[in-house]
């Protein structure tokens, strides 16, 4: 039964999100379980509060107007209703003003962004380069902000700070995965939209329109935030002072930490994640992805005395991108350059046959500054596993295109191996997938995908004639793919240039450092630490992204802080950590993969 409060507001969290995934608890649950932690947290000194009453008391103590701004996906009705109850109980009457009243008409906003949404394309648009204020009527903003209010007034909604830049500022954050779960529940509007959209259409507008402008707005507000709230549990908020948040970001910028991963099923998904990572819902059909470090969608968890609060990863970059990225900050700005994620096809299916766009194509068509150059690191596999990579020597471009188009039009199976090479996958292999390369993972692989951060620009040519998990056709991108495919990556060239050569760079009595040579198109390097006891490393002014790819457990030491890392967990070493130690806690040799921006690519 759906739960409603006295004002008729839906307060049943199970009805407010459409997912089988558990929501992060407000407090860490004690467990004897060893291994991968799905809720990794950075310990802080600041107090994390968990109730509306303490927030209401803070607001009541203010002697000036307050604004409550926030990200897309906030359930504003539920939040304001709950907060107003506690303010009233504290004897504080509030004049609530919704900033949505100052938005431009939806038809005007739709016209403003239509060239960026490209309605003919169900998946791709072009990133909007404007600001959040573009969505508002400046006259209405001024009228609302400068109005004379006899009562204590709170302005609220996405962009509320635009109306009262000198007011006390509360900011509400919502993790990107929760925004998508709420979208799938059919309860969210896009920024300035008049109507609901289906989740895929809504996500496209989130990605290319809403999130870019809201990210800029959040960056502009960070230094003056008085309170930040994690609203993902809706009626059970967590909050921390802005000063404690910024202090925590300072500490994280000097020490090893993990992002909070999240997990999704998919049509080709497998069983490795489900069988090996504790704490996940076992009722789902599979897990295709683990979003280990896809920073546009990951959060970071702060913890104090077991209390937890999640904020978006990008706050670290907005606060001090040079501390995190070091030399690479000048090139990448507030964009984190490298991502790690898992593709699980163990006892699952094959990925679609696909490629990624060139840098020039990406900039022209999508408004992104760099493209989706990838690698596949084989973390685990079964004996029949293989990777599809590059064309056969005798590839004929027009013949291949005709076969792919006929398959799409008439549902004709394609013998992919007639056109694309396959290679047996072995543990610790690294397959190189620079943009324009035809590729796919076969079934029975656990791939650690080490890649440039852009993560949605996959052009599918052939998807084995299968629907998605909802029984609907998966969109293909044949024309875009053929505008980007590199047909010179064929035959022996693939073996020579797209499978990483692994060489020993340095070694000691019980350790060695292996270089896994990447392609010239890759702006990042990949190396592997192999050690029995302890190995020491330096960041050399770069951010290092690491994953334990062999061994049960290691300790990562940065300064005086120690972080326990288990098999398959991903972590970040900021440039300002300067030096770090990896201490093996396993009986056998530990192996840790590391990626960072090449010196010449900064």
């Amino acid at each position: 039964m759906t739960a409603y409060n006295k004002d008729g507001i839906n307060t049943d969290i199970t009805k407010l999100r459409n997912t089988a995934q558990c929501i992060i608890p407000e407090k860490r649950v004690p467990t004897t379980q060893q291994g991968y932690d799905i809720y990794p947290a950075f310990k802080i000194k600041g107090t994390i509060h968990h109730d509306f009453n303490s927030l209401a008391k803070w607001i009541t103590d203010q002697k000036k107007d307050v604004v409550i701004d926030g990200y897309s996906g906030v359930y504003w009705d539920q939040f304001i209703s709950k907060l107003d109850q506690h303010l009233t109980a504290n004897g504080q009457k509030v004049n609530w003003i919704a900033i949505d009243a100052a938005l431009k008409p939806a038809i005007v906003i739709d016209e403003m962004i239509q060239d960026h949404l490209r309605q003919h394309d169900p998946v791709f648009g072009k990133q909007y380069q404007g600001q959040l204020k573009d969505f508002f009527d400046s006259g209405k903003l001024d009228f609302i902000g400068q109005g004379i209010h006899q009562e204590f007034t709170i302005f609220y909604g996405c962009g509320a700070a635009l109306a009262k830049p000198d007011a006390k500022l509360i900011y509400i954050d919502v993790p990107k995965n929760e925004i998508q779960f709420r979208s799938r529940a059919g309860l969210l509007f896009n920024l300035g939209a008049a109507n609901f959209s289906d989740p895929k259409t809504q996500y496209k507008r989130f990605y290319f329109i809403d999130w870019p402008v809201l990210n800029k707005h959040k960056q502009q507000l960070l230094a003056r935030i008085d309170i930040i709230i994690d609203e993902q549990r809706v009626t059970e908020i967590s909050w921390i002072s802005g000063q404690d948040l910024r202090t925590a970001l300072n500490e994280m910028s000097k020490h090893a930490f993990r992002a909070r991963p999240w997990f999704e099923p998919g049509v080709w998904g497998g069983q490795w994640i489900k069988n090996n990572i504790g704490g996940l819902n076992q009722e789902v059909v599979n897990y295709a992805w683990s979003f280990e470090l896809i920073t546009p969608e990951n959060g970071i968890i702060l913890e104090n005395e077991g209390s937890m609060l999640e904020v978006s990863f990008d706050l670290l970059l907005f606060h001090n991108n040079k501390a995190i990225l070091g030399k690479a900050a000048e090139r990448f700005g507030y964009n984190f350059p490298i991502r790690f994620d898992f593709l699980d096809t163990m006892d699952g299916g094959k990925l679609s046959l696909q490629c990624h766009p060139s840098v020039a194509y990406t900039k022209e068509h999508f408004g992104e500054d760099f493209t989706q150059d990838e690698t596949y690191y084989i973390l685990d596999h079964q004996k029949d596993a293989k990777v599809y990579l590059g064309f056969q020597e005798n590839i004929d471009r027009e013949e291949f295109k005709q076969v792919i188009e006929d398959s799409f039009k008439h549902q004709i199976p394609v013998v992919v191996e007639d056109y694309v090479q396959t290679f047996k996958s072995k543990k610790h292999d690294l397959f190189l997938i620079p943009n324009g390369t035809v590729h796919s993972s076969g079934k029975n692989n656990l791939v650690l995908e080490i890649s440039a951060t852009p993560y949605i620009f996959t052009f599918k040519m052939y998807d084995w004639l299968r629907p998605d998990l909802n029984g609907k056709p998966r969109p293909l991108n044949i024309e875009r793919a053929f505008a980007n495919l590199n047909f010179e990556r064929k035959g022996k060239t693939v073996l020579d240039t797209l499978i990483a050569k692994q060489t020993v760079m340095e070694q000691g009595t019980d350790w060695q450092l292996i270089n896994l040579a990447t392609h010239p198109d890759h702006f990042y390097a990949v190396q592997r630490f192999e050690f029995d006891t302890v190995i020491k490393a330096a960041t050399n002014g770069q951010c290092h992204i690491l994953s334990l790819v062999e061994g049960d457990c290691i300790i990562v030491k940065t300064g005086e802080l120690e972080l326990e890392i288990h098999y398959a967990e991903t972590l970040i070493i900021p440039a300002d950590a300067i030096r770090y130690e990896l201490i093996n806690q396993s009986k056998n040799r530990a192996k840790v993969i590391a990626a960072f921006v090449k010196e010449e690519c900064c």
Side-chain angles (χ1 to χ4, degrees):
M1 179 179 293
T2 303
Y4 294 89
N5 68 10
K6 65 182 181 61
D7 299 312
I9 303 296
N10 185 348
T11 59
D12 183 353
I13 188 65
T14 64
K15 302 297 184 182
L16 299 176
R17 56 200 296 269
N18 182 1
T19 179
Q21 300 312 303
C22 301
I23 200 162
I24 178 175
E26 65 179 27
K27 289 185 175 288
R28 183 168 296 281
V29 179
T31 179
T32 58
Q33 178 179 299
Q34 297 295 311
Y36 190 107
D37 183 1
I38 63 173
Y39 301 128
F42 189 85
K43 301 290 180 64
I44 66 170
K45 295 179 181 178
T47 301
I48 296 174
H49 305 267
H50 287 301
D51 59 303
F52 274 90
N53 194 51
S54 60
L55 179 64
K57 287 181 177 178
W58 183 90
I59 292 172
T60 301
D61 289 340
Q62 306 312 305
K63 304 303 180 185
K64 58 191 300 188
D65 289 342
V66 171
V67 298
I68 306 178
D69 208 318
Y71 210 74
S72 66
V74 173
Y75 280 138
W76 289 103
D77 288 346
Q78 286 85 345
F79 179 86
I80 297 304
S81 174
K82 188 83 171 180
L83 181 56
D84 188 61
Q85 292 174 32
H86 286 273
L87 286 165
T88 300
N90 285 330
Q92 180 64 66
K93 183 174 177 58
V94 175
N95 177 36
W96 295 97
I97 297 181
I99 200 65
D100 284 2
L103 284 167
K104 293 176 179 176
I107 191 171
V108 174
I109 292 173
D110 289 345
E111 184 175 352
M112 180 178 76
I113 63 175
Q114 65 179 352
D115 289 343
H116 297 267
L117 281 182
R118 303 190 172 167
Q119 303 291 354
H120 66 282
D121 192 315
V123 178
F124 301 112
K126 188 170 185 178
Q127 191 174 110
Y128 183 74
Q129 299 298 323
Q131 302 282 335
L132 180 58
K133 65 182 180 181
D134 299 344
F135 291 74
F136 288 89
D137 183 307
S138 58
K140 291 181 180 179
L141 269 181
D142 290 342
F143 177 78
I144 288 175
Q146 296 174 12
I148 298 174
H149 308 293
Q150 301 300 321
E151 301 170 329
F152 183 81
T153 300
I154 297 179
F155 304 83
Y156 71 93
C158 291
L162 295 172
K164 295 289 288 187
D166 59 341
K168 288 290 185 177
L169 174 60
I170 296 171
Y171 189 88
I172 304 178
D173 217 3
V174 188
K176 295 279 182 55
N177 60 313
E178 288 297 326
I179 293 172
Q180 291 170 68
F181 300 156
R182 294 176 180 192
S183 172
R184 295 171 197 171
L187 298 174
L188 293 187
F189 287 90
N190 283 106
L191 182 63
N195 301 303
F196 292 114
S197 300
D198 69 88
K200 290 183 179 179
T201 301
Q202 199 162 60
Y203 179 85
K204 176 183 168 184
R205 184 158 164 171
F206 282 145
Y207 185 96
F208 290 102
I209 310 296
D210 299 7
W211 292 348
V213 299
L214 291 169
N215 290 345
K216 291 177 186 177
H217 183 61
K218 187 190 296 188
Q219 175 198 344
Q220 293 159 1
L221 297 181
L222 177 58
R224 57 173 284 238
I225 289 173
D226 294 293
I227 298 289
I228 190 163
I229 296 172
D230 174 1
E231 183 262 355
Q232 62 185 299
R233 288 176 298 281
V234 186
T235 58
E236 298 174 357
I237 61 169
S238 298
W239 67 269
I240 191 172
S241 75
Q243 184 56 53
D244 284 343
L245 169 69
R246 291 181 286 271
T247 298
L249 297 176
N250 278 335
E251 284 299 300
M252 292 187 78
S253 298
K254 297 179 287 188
H255 296 286
F257 65 92
R258 289 182 61 206
R260 200 268 278 193
W262 61 286
F263 307 84
E264 275 288 279
V267 66
W268 42 262
Q271 302 300 311
W272 192 97
I273 291 173
K274 189 174 176 180
N275 293 336
N276 290 277
I277 295 181
L280 298 176
N281 188 341
Q282 295 295 303
E283 300 303 314
V284 298
V285 62
N286 64 49
Y287 286 105
W289 294 276
S290 170
F291 292 76
E292 293 291 302
L293 184 66
I294 304 182
T295 58
E297 296 205 14
N298 280 112
I300 48 176
I301 300 175
L302 308 178
E303 180 181 347
N304 177 266
E305 298 182 349
S307 293
M308 298 193 294
L309 173 143
E310 183 175 357
V311 295
S312 60
F313 187 101
D314 55 16
L315 288 180
L316 280 162
L317 298 168
F318 297 156
H319 185 66
N320 191 342
N321 65 331
K322 292 191 72 174
I324 301 293
L325 298 181
K327 300 172 187 176
E330 184 174 353
R331 174 177 176 181
F332 294 100
Y334 300 113
N335 296 309
F336 196 86
I338 297 172
R339 66 176 162 92
F340 276 32
D341 59 282
F342 290 138
L343 309 173
D344 181 359
T345 66
M346 286 285 203
D347 298 315
K350 305 168 185 176
L351 270 66
S352 62
L353 193 67
Q354 57 192 241
C355 75
H356 306 298
S358 69
V359 174
Y361 191 96
T362 301
K363 288 183 177 180
E364 178 185 354
H365 292 269
F366 309 129
E368 299 268 359
D369 289 331
F370 54 107
T371 192
Q372 197 164 321
D373 291 310
E374 296 180 343
T375 67
Y376 281 178
Y377 187 90
I378 306 301
L379 190 66
D380 204 352
H381 69 104
Q382 294 179 10
K383 64 181 181 179
D384 61 340
K386 60 187 177 182
V387 167
Y388 296 81
L389 186 68
F391 288 112
Q392 298 286 3
E393 180 64 47
N394 62 350
I395 187 68
D396 181 286
R397 185 185 192 280
E398 295 308 316
E399 176 191 344
F400 180 59
K401 186 176 184 182
Q402 188 65 54
V403 167
I404 291 295
E405 289 178 340
D406 287 348
S407 171
F408 175 69
K409 292 175 183 177
H410 305 296
Q411 293 292 290
I412 301 171
V414 174
V415 182
V416 172
E417 292 83 353
D418 287 351
Y419 306 94
V420 178
Q421 296 190 65
T422 62
F423 298 89
K424 289 185 177 180
S425 54
K426 304 187 301 296
K427 191 172 174 67
H428 302 305
D429 279 347
L430 183 69
F431 295 93
L432 308 179
I433 311 168
N435 64 82
T437 305
V438 65
H439 67 281
S440 170
S441 170
K443 63 181 182 180
N444 292 329
N445 281 315
L446 179 67
V447 172
L448 171 58
E449 189 173 47
I450 303 171
S451 173
T453 291
Y455 58 104
I456 72 165
F457 302 105
T458 297
F459 300 152
K460 302 179 182 72
M461 291 161 268
Y462 178 65
D463 199 28
W464 317 98
L465 308 183
R466 64 191 170 195
D468 65 18
L469 289 179
N470 296 317
K472 297 179 180 179
R474 301 186 80 203
L476 298 183
N477 323 103
I478 295 172
E479 289 302 318
R480 290 194 187 275
F482 276 82
N484 286 276
L485 280 169
N486 185 333
F487 284 87
E488 296 305 310
R489 292 185 183 142
K490 62 180 182 178
K492 189 172 181 297
T493 299
V494 176
L495 184 62
D496 292 342
T497 64
L498 297 185
I499 300 177
K501 307 299 188 291
Q502 304 194 23
T503 57
V504 177
M505 298 175 63
E506 301 175 33
Q507 58 186 341
T509 55
D510 69 345
W511 64 270
Q512 59 182 3
L513 177 62
I514 308 295
N515 183 55
L516 291 77
T518 56
H519 191 273
D521 284 358
H522 290 116
F523 61 70
Y524 54 90
V526 178
Q527 297 177 354
R528 187 171 62 238
F529 299 105
E530 302 183 353
F531 55 104
D532 297 331
T533 55
V534 179
I535 194 166
K536 297 182 179 182
T539 64
N540 297 316
Q542 293 280 15
C543 181
H544 289 197
I545 301 93
L546 278 58
S547 181
L548 181 59
V549 295
E550 193 163 306
D552 297 325
C553 178
I554 62 171
I555 299 294
V556 181
K557 189 172 182 181
T558 47
E560 297 302 313
L561 290 187
E562 294 184 350
L563 176 65
E564 187 171 278
I565 293 295
H566 299 95
Y567 181 63
E569 291 182 338
T570 297
L571 69 146
I572 299 95
I573 310 282
D576 271 10
I578 302 176
R579 287 176 292 274
Y580 59 97
E581 291 183 34
L582 307 177
I583 306 166
N584 189 6
Q585 303 292 292
S586 308
K587 294 180 180 179
N588 300 317
R589 173 162 286 203
K591 296 182 180 181
V592 175
I593 207 75
F596 51 89
V597 176
K598 296 173 181 175
E599 291 285 323
E600 64 272 21
C601 295
C602 289

